[in-house]
Amino acid sequence: MVYIVPGKGIGKPDYSDEVSRGIYRAGLDLKSGQSLKSFYVIFTPVVSPFIPWVKPVLVPAATGHLVDAETGIDMPYVLSEGYIISLIQDSFGFKVQADVWILVDTMPVAQLSVSAGGLEVYRNRVIPFSTQVLDPTGIFPHLIDVQVTNPGGANLEGSVAVSAIVEAVGTPPLPTTKTVKCNHCGHQWSVPFDTTKLICSKCGELTIVYTLSSFRRTS
Amino acid sequence: MVMGGFSRLIKIKPRIRTEQIAISQTLEPLTGIRIERQIPIKGTITSVVLHYPEGCNALVDVRVGHGTKQLCPATGVVALDAATPVIPTSEKVLLNEVLWAVLENADFVNPHTITVMVTIEV
C-alpha cells in the first residue's frame, strides 16, 4: 500500500559520495538545506524579448541591476529571514570600463570590479562574500543587489554573471512556488518553482527563465 | 560399582536454525509504503538490520513490527544516514504471523532504497 507523506527536506542521491569522482575542474556539491541562485545581465544591442536578463546597452552614467535567472525580476533579491547567501562565483566582461558593486540593504559592501574595457574575468571564490558575516543566524531579511554602473562616456556592452548559494539556517525548506515577472508587460505572478517557460497571464507573451531548485552538484 | 573409570557428561549443543526475511524497497520522493511478509517459522527474532544509504539525511522513517506490535524501534521511528545498525532483539513470533515494515521517504527530491533484514532463530 503506497501513500503520500509530507516532505521534510532534501537529501542526496543514494551512495552519491564516491572516493574518486574524476572531476577535472572545479565543481559544486550542494549540501542538504542549500540551493543555487544565479543572477545575470547582458547589455547588448541584440534584442531578446524572451530572456529577461538580456537588456539594451547601458548608457553613460546609468546603473543597471542583475536579474534573478529563476524569476526574471531585477535585483535586489529578497533574502528571507532564516537564510544566508554566499556569492561563490562571478564572471564579467565589458567593451568599456564598468563598475560592479554588491549592495546589502542598499549599502555598498563589496566592489566586484572596476573593470577596464576588453577585460574578461572569471572568479571561483574560495572565500565568498557572504551575509553570514553580517547576519550569521539570518535573523533579518536582506536586500541583495548587484549593480553595474557605466562611468564612461560611451554606451556599455558586456555581461555579468553571479552564482550564489542560499542556505537555510534552521528554517523550513524554501517554498515550492516562485514569483516571476513577464519580460514584456512587467506583470508578476506565482508559478511552481520548476517552471521555465512563462506564459504571461496578463499579456500572453512568453518569457524564459531558469530553474535551479533541483540542482545539487556539477557532473 | 564402577572400577577405574569416570562418568563424563557430554553436552550436545542443539543445532540452531535461522531464517532471514529481507525487505528492500526503493521509495520515490514523498512516498510511504507498508510492506508485509509472512513469518516462515515459529521462533525468536534475534536481530533487525536496517540499512540507510548515504544521502538519506535522516529523511526516511522506518519502523518494523509483527502483528499489532511495533518491534524496532519500540516507539517512534528510526531515520539515519549512511548507517547499517544491527539491533539485537529477543522477540517471539509465530508461524505465518505477519512481519511488517513501514518506510516513509520525506525527501522532496531524491528516491532512497532502504533495506530491512530480520533474522529469526528456532
Side-chain angles (χ1 to χ4, degrees), chain B residues 51-77:
Chain B
H51 173 65
Y52 298 82
E54 179 170 4
C56 289
N57 278 24
L59 295 171
V60 185
D61 293 348
V62 176
R63 45 195 176 94
V64 180
H66 67 101
T68 58
K69 181 178 179 181
Q70 181 168 315
L71 173 64
C72 173
T75 58
V77 296

Side-chain angles (χ1 to χ4, degrees), chain A residues 51-64:
Chain A
I51 307 296
W53 52 87
V54 178
K55 299 189 173 188
V57 296
L58 196 64
V59 299
T63 295

Side-chain angles (χ1 to χ4, degrees), chain B residues 15-105:
Chain B
R15 175 180 286 181
I16 297 174
R17 175 188 165 194
T18 60
E19 294 270 350
Q20 282 78 39
I21 299 175
I23 297 171
S24 184
Q25 180 70 37
T26 298
L27 298 161
E28 293 301 314
L30 305 182
T31 299
I33 190 170
R34 176 185 169 102
I35 301 173
E36 296 181 350
R37 295 282 187 271
Q38 206 168 39
I39 294 176
I41 54 172
K42 176 184 175 181
T44 303
I45 296 178
T46 55
S47 71
V48 176
V49 178
L50 308 176
H51 173 65
Y52 298 82
E54 179 170 4
C56 289
N57 278 24
L59 295 171
V60 185
D61 293 348
V62 176
R63 45 195 176 94
V64 180
H66 67 101
T68 58
K69 181 178 179 181
Q70 181 168 315
L71 173 64
C72 173
T75 58
V77 296
V78 181
L80 304 174
D81 180 81
T84 309
V86 179
I87 301 150
T89 62
S90 181
E91 182 76 8
K92 293 199 185 308
V93 292
L94 301 174
L95 175 67
N96 293 331
E97 199 177 351
V98 172
L99 176 78
W100 53 263
V102 173
L103 316 175
E104 296 180 346
N105 180 9

Side-chain angles (χ1 to χ4, degrees), chain A residues 3 5 8-9 11-12 14-15 32, chain B residues 32 51 104 106-108 112-113:
Chain A
Y3 51 91
V5 299
K8 297 178 188 174
K12 294 183 182 180
D14 286 353
Y15 311 112
S32 177
Chain B
H51 173 65
E104 296 180 346
D107 191 325
F108 279 105
H112 296 292
T113 301

